[in-house]
């Protein structure tokens, strides 16, 4: 099983943390708000730990579960503390109306995080196409993810399986832009008629 650190203490942090504990993984919570981190850790179980803001995460895999506008600043603030870690960027860079992306067409939040972290940090885009309600439900769903390091992706796939979810490798980190676009598509579907109780998935024909 994996050791993970979640930077952030919101709904996604709660849902991922709960699934991770059930899957036998070790979990650490880090938040600017120490009281909020402690409260979340207590609700997840006695074995969940907390860490000081900016300290080296204990987890080999680090979830960046913050608002997208904070993703790069947080990555820069942690700096060398993320060296050698796998960092999963779960953010969606929506504009103020949720009708467009707030990053240029030739990049992604994940790519910007990759540029802001040490060379030994392996950045993965993933989990951004799951609403927090789906994560919290405990039901199976597809997790699309992308990254440049094959070994890191294999570790993330194993973690996703342990969470009771299905890993779907979407390719290298250049695909992060399109995964963020998929998150935007979900916002349109949610506004249109589906609400937030759904997730995007893959149907595989029999025999394949």
């Amino acid at each position: 099983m994996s050791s993970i650190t979640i930077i952030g203490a919101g709904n996604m942090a709660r849902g991922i943390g709960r699934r991770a504990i059930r899957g036998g993984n070790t979990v650490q919570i880090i938040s600017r708000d120490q009281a909020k981190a402690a409260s979340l850790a207590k609700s997840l179980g006695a074995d969940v730990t907390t860490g000081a803001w900016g300290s080296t995460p204990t987890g080999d895999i680090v979830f960046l579960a913050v608002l997208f506008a904070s993703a790069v600043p947080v990555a820069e603030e942690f700096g060398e503390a993320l060296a050698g870690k796998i960092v999963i960027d779960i953010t969606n860079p929506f504009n103020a109306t949720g009708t467009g992306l707030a990053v240029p067409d030739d990049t992604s939040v994940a790519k910007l995080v990759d540029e802001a972290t040490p060379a030994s940090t392996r950045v993965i885009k993933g989990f951004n196409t799951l609403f927090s309600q789906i994560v919290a439900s405990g039901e199976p769903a597809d997790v699309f993810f992308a990254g440049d390091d094959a070994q890191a992706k294999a570790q993330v796939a194993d973690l996703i399986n342990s969470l009771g979810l299905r890993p779907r490798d979407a390719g290298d980190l250049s695909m992060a832009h399109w995964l963020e676009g998929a998150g935007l598509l979900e916002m349109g579907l949610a506004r249109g008629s589906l609400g937030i109780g759904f997730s995007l998935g893959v149907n595989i024909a029999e025999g394949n």
Side-chain angles (χ1 to χ4, degrees):
M1 295 296 103
S2 302
S3 61
I4 72 169
T5 293
I6 304 172
I7 299 177
N11 290 334
M12 284 293 285
R14 182 178 302 277
I16 291 169
R18 183 166 288 119
R19 281 183 180 259
I21 291 298
R22 289 174 181 170
N25 305 285
T26 62
V27 177
Q28 179 192 44
I29 306 294
I30 295 178
S31 173
R32 289 186 189 276
D33 187 332
Q34 292 281 350
K36 192 173 182 180
S39 176
L40 176 55
K42 183 178 180 180
S43 72
L44 293 175
D47 293 334
V48 178
T49 62
T50 61
W53 184 259
S55 63
T56 299
T58 59
D60 296 324
I61 299 175
V62 179
F63 282 85
L64 196 55
V66 297
L67 296 175
F68 90 87
S70 299
V72 172
V74 167
E76 291 174 338
E77 192 168 353
F78 274 77
E80 288 299 322
L82 298 177
K85 304 291 185 180
I86 297 171
V87 173
I88 304 177
D89 165 36
I90 74 169
T91 67
N92 274 310
F94 301 149
N95 63 17
T97 60
T99 58
L101 295 178
V103 293
D105 291 340
D106 61 349
T107 192
S108 63
V109 178
K111 181 63 176 174
L112 296 174
V113 168
D114 185 51
E115 293 169 355
T117 51
S120 61
T121 306
R122 294 161 292 169
V123 175
I124 302 289
K125 185 73 186 188
F127 289 82
N128 70 296
T129 58
L130 294 180
F131 289 110
S132 61
Q133 287 81 354
I134 297 297
V135 178
S137 74
E139 295 298 319
D142 289 337
V143 178
F144 300 102
F145 65 102
D148 290 334
D149 187 283
Q151 183 180 17
K153 288 202 291 184
Q155 289 179 247
V156 169
D158 287 342
L159 172 63
I160 291 169
N161 278 318
S162 79
L163 302 184
L165 298 164
R166 295 181 291 263
R168 305 296 190 193
D169 187 346
D172 64 29
L173 199 60
S174 68
M175 293 300 294
H177 177 80
W178 306 107
L179 291 182
E180 291 169 4
L184 185 64
L185 170 64
E186 286 187 317
M187 289 296 289
L189 291 169
R191 285 193 300 268
S193 61
L194 296 180
I196 55 176
F198 75 97
S199 64
L200 298 182
V202 173
N203 288 326
I204 301 176
E206 290 187 17
N208 290 336

